[in-house]
Amino acid sequence: MTVETAMRPLYLEDLAKGQKFHTGSVSVTADAIKAFAAEFDPQPFHLDEAAAAKSLFGGLAASGWHTAAITMRLFVDGDLRLAGGIVGAGLDEMRWTKPVYPGDALTLETEVLEMRPSKSRLDQGLIKVRNTVLNQRREPALVQVVNLLVQRRPAE
Amino acid sequence: MTVETAMRPLYLEDLAKGQKFHTGSVSVTADAIKAFAAEFDPQPFHLDEAAAAKSLFGGLAASGWHTAAITMRLFVDGDLRLAGGIVGAGLDEMRWTKPVYPGDALTLETEVLEMRPSKSRLDQGLIKVRNTVLNQRREPALVQVVNLLVQRRPAE
């Protein structure tokens, strides 16, 4: 990515298989883990250090859905700027490959896997990307293959 | 599900293909949509009614990751009570099939698709379930196929 392309929103025609995009990083705190869990995933290993120590996580760990939500925040703030925003049609898969613990710093790498025009909408296309969330040791914590709606470049 | 089985936590040996589980329902408010989006998916169509009216959603719509997080909350509070809690290994797929708008009431239906013992851990197994989130018109808003870690029943 050059600075110029990072500033302009991208259309389907700007994307190519193998392109990579990056994001900043987010540090995950124990308070954030517990707040998310209290609302969306109230299980002991996401809420309480002592209970979590006895669980298969071995300590307080973020809900996988919290990690997925943080992934989306990184994605929105990252350097893949799509015309029309980031609108997901779905995931082909998602794996939680490492637990996320308090103090972990997460960053996201995106690789374009496929692009195709929509069959039904002349102004739209679909791209498939692989998102890999890495922790501060560069261990993948979450991997997802996402299908995104992308606008086609309007005729000049 | 009988009342008796709903009260006892379930082990791998208690589960069978085709079993169905249900949850209560959650109403989604505009405030909740905006609060989630402000933290995890700050795009105009999830934050602002006027901007959303001009978007492909036609009005303020929940982030797909908000709907996914609500799905987890319904799942945790529902009648599938697994020994050891609900611990996901990953998703085989997830589709956002209808936008979720303020005032929508969501409920979750779960169907067991597969069960198998773990090859590496004698005390664990894996099940695959299909989760379908329905709105108040019984339209599917989100469909996901989830792989869950499940404990095996300890020897007596």
Side-chain angles (χ1 to χ4, degrees), chain B residues 89-100:
Chain B
L91 302 183
D92 287 357
E93 65 169 309
M94 182 160 68
R95 303 281 167 234
W96 292 287
T97 45
K98 281 272 178 193
V100 172

Side-chain angles (χ1 to χ4, degrees), chain A residues 60-109:
Chain A
L60 189 74
S63 167
W65 297 101
H66 189 191
T67 307
I70 291 169
T71 303
M72 186 63 191
R73 179 59 191 258
L74 288 165
F75 205 24
V76 168
D77 290 344
D79 66 7
L80 173 55
R81 297 296 172 107
L82 296 174
I86 294 183
V87 179
L91 301 183
D92 287 358
E93 66 168 310
M94 182 160 68
R95 302 280 167 234
W96 291 286
T97 45
K98 281 273 178 191
V100 172
Y101 297 111
D104 280 357
L106 304 179
T107 186
L108 173 64
E109 296 187 0

